């Protein structure tokens, strides 16, 4: 399943942004939605994941990241607070089933285009 992230843009340091990942099939409300990012010149890394049965999750490495699921809208949001220049990256959402696995090498499906987040200092 290929998912498309949206909502990126240019933000000043310290600001917040909410990225969206909308899927057509309501059944994906029971799947884990993973968020990854790839900064310029760096490898893709996992930043957050929400399990299929949950509606909220914290980031993998930082409390500045929060994932929220809106089941009525078939959408998962990645809220990023206190953005820093090092958060500049292309952000992707992806799913491989009901469980989380934030190792990008393990993602089985195709990657969507991602959405660019640029944080200015």
């Amino acid at each position: 399943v290929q998912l498309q992230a949206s909502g990126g843009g240019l933000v000043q340091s310290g600001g917040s942004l909410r990225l969206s990942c909308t899927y057509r099939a309501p059944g994906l409300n029971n799947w884990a939605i993973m968020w990854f990012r790839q900064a310029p010149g760096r490898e893709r890394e996992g930043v957050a994941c929400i399990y299929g049965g949950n509606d909220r999750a914290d980031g993998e490495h930082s409390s500045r990241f929060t994932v929220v699921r809106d089941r009525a809208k078939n959408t998962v949001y990645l809220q990023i607070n206190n953005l820093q220049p090092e958060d500049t990256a292309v952000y992707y959402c992806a799913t491989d089933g009901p469980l989380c696995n934030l190792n990008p090498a393990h993602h089985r499906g195709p990657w969507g285009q991602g959405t660019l987040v640029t944080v200015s200092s």
Side-chain angles (χ1 to χ4, degrees), residues 90-101:
V90 177
Y91 285 73
Y92 304 85
C93 59
T95 184
D96 286 320
L99 300 179
C100 291
N101 185 338

Side-chain angles (χ1 to χ4, degrees), residues 40-112:
R42 301 189 65 177
E43 293 186 353
R44 194 168 300 182
E45 63 175 350
V47 296
C49 181
I50 185 167
Y51 280 86
N54 295 346
D55 293 332
R56 188 186 184 282
D58 293 327
E60 181 72 4
H61 303 295
S62 172
S63 60
R64 297 187 296 113
F65 295 81
T66 303
V67 185
V68 175
R69 187 192 302 268
D70 186 331
R71 294 179 183 274
K73 295 183 178 180
N74 294 342
T75 300
V76 168
Y77 301 100
L78 176 66
Q79 177 74 33
I80 313 174
N81 296 324
N82 191 22
L83 279 156
Q84 301 299 312
E86 54 266 33
D87 294 319
T88 294
V90 177
Y91 285 73
Y92 304 85
C93 59
T95 184
D96 286 320
L99 300 179
C100 291
N101 185 338
L102 287 177
N103 184 339
H106 293 172
H107 175 48
R108 298 189 297 270
W111 292 99

